[in-house]
């Protein structure tokens, strides 16, 4: 088998509940075809009713065409799924959580003879307390580079500055750094001087109505009256598919291009 000179990777923003999973089923195959995608990585921490991941929701994402799943702070919301994190090599939790917790924050998979490294980190600004993502990230990237130069990094963080700082920090050592968590896609896709593609936040895949995927009523109640109501995923209205696609030189790991995908008004 001849190893290709490039690999094209599609990263999908936070998949929000059943609307997000349904959107994957309806639109991911076409996106793979249109953009000649070799591999798909999706953030699944909100896939199970907006809070966490389950075996069945992960299986739905894989069946829709996702090859690898990253996550974030909500990965612990479904207690019964925690043990699964030790059993799977296709689902990550942020690497800078305490090492005694289930799962792993770094992994690899192979498509068309190309090994792709994936690293999942979580920010510390306005986020739960975790270890230094820069120190942890540097150590794990150094390990991955002994395996492959093609490395994708999902930075699950609130602050845009922290995500961009991570992109600059890893520029030249990884192929793509992209942000998740805010559910709002940014328009700053670029390739840094060292050859690393970057996007501050890839956005959300799921309901366009509501507030970042949740029904408006409970969110407004919290903001206007400081009353904490249980949030529920917005089930009605139009949907959106947010992603980014990058083509990477296999030999060097440098990104050759990056393109945002933001499909709105989907049925």
């Amino acid at each position: 088998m001849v190893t290709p000179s490039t690999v094209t990777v599609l990263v999908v923003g936070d998949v929000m509940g059943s609307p997000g999973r349904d959107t994957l089923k309806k639109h991911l195959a076409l996106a793979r075809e249109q953009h000649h995608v070799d591999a798909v990585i999706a953030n699944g921490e909100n896939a199970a009713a907006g809070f966490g991941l389950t075996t069945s929701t992960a299986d739905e994402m894989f069946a829709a065409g996702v090859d690898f799943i990253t996550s974030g702070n909500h990965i612990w919301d479904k207690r019964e799924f925690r043990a699964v994190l030790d059993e799977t090599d296709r689902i990550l939790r942020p690497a800078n959580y305490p090492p005694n917790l289930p799962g792993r924050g770094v992994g690899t998979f192979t498509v068309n003879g190309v090994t792709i490294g994936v690293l999942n980190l979580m920010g510390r600004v306005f986020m739960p307390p975790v270890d230094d993502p820069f120190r942890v990230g540097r150590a794990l990237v150094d390990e991955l580079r002994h395996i492959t130069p093609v490395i994708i990094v999902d930075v699950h963080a609130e602050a845009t500055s922290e995500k961009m700082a991570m992109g600059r920090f890893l520029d030249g050592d990884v192929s793509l750094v992209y942000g998740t968590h805010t559910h709002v896609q940014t328009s700053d896709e670029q390739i840094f001087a060292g050859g690393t593609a970057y996007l501050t936040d890839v956005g959300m895949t799921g309901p366009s109505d509501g507030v970042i995927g949740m029904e408006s009523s409970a969110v407004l109640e919290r903001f206007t009256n400081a009353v904490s109501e249980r949030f529920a995923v917005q089930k009605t209205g139009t949907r959106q598919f947010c992603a980014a696609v990058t083509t990477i030189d296999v030999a060097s790991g440098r990104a050759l291009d990056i393109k945002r995908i933001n499909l709105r008004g989907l049925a």
Side-chain angles (χ1 to χ4, degrees):
M1 179 178 179
V2 178
T3 302
S5 60
T6 63
V7 63
T8 300
V9 179
L10 179 76
V11 294
V12 181
D14 306 49
V15 176
M16 192 66 175
S18 58
R21 302 194 311 271
D22 290 343
T23 302
L24 275 183
K25 294 174 190 175
K26 292 179 179 178
H27 300 282
L28 182 54
L30 181 59
R32 291 193 71 137
E33 180 182 350
Q34 287 181 328
H35 299 280
H36 308 289
V37 170
D38 299 302
V40 176
I41 302 168
N43 190 292
E45 72 146 12
N46 300 127
F51 299 97
L53 190 63
T54 62
T55 300
S56 61
T57 53
D59 287 345
E60 278 190 59
M61 292 175 64
F62 290 136
V66 172
D67 297 297
F68 210 89
I69 296 175
T70 55
S71 65
N73 52 298
H74 284 296
I75 191 61
W76 313 112
D77 288 359
K78 298 292 187 283
R79 183 178 296 272
E80 67 276 12
F81 189 72
R82 296 177 186 178
V84 178
L85 291 171
D86 277 332
E87 301 168 0
T88 178
D89 57 2
R90 300 176 69 188
I91 303 171
L92 299 182
R93 50 87 164 164
N96 51 323
Y97 269 110
N100 60 303
L101 289 176
R104 57 193 62 81
V106 64
T108 63
F109 66 105
T110 301
V111 291
N112 301 330
V114 177
T115 298
I116 299 173
V118 186
L119 173 60
N120 197 176
L121 297 169
M122 192 164 80
R124 294 193 292 184
V125 180
F126 309 123
M127 298 291 285
V130 287
D131 202 350
D132 179 3
F134 293 88
R135 181 183 59 80
V136 172
R138 169 58 66 197
L140 292 175
V141 166
D142 288 347
E143 292 180 12
L144 278 174
R145 287 189 63 84
H146 288 293
I147 302 171
T148 177
V150 180
I151 302 171
I152 312 297
V153 183
D154 176 348
V155 184
H156 196 76
E158 187 78 38
T160 56
S161 58
E162 189 175 24
K163 288 188 265 195
M164 181 165 282
M166 183 63 73
R168 297 289 186 187
F169 182 69
L170 296 177
D171 182 27
D173 292 322
V174 303
S175 307
L176 169 65
V177 174
Y178 67 101
T180 57
H181 182 67
T182 71
H183 291 200
V184 178
Q185 189 180 85
T186 56
S187 59
D188 60 340
E189 69 277 16
Q190 59 192 290
I191 298 178
F192 291 146
T196 295
Y198 174 82
L199 178 63
T200 294
D201 202 289
V202 72
M204 179 189 70
T205 292
S208 297
D209 292 347
V211 178
I212 61 170
M214 295 296 185
E215 292 179 349
S216 299
S217 56
V219 178
L220 292 174
E221 184 72 12
R222 178 176 294 186
F223 278 121
T224 58
N225 294 318
V227 175
S228 182
E229 297 288 345
R230 182 173 178 82
F231 291 167
V233 173
Q234 175 74 35
K235 295 290 183 66
T236 59
T238 60
R239 298 173 180 180
Q240 63 190 50
F241 178 81
C242 289
V245 61
T246 183
T247 300
I248 301 162
D249 178 73
V250 170
S252 66
R254 293 175 65 97
L256 303 177
D257 56 43
I258 180 170
K259 175 182 174 62
R260 278 185 301 121
I261 300 171
N262 192 332
L263 305 177
R264 298 179 65 85
L266 303 175

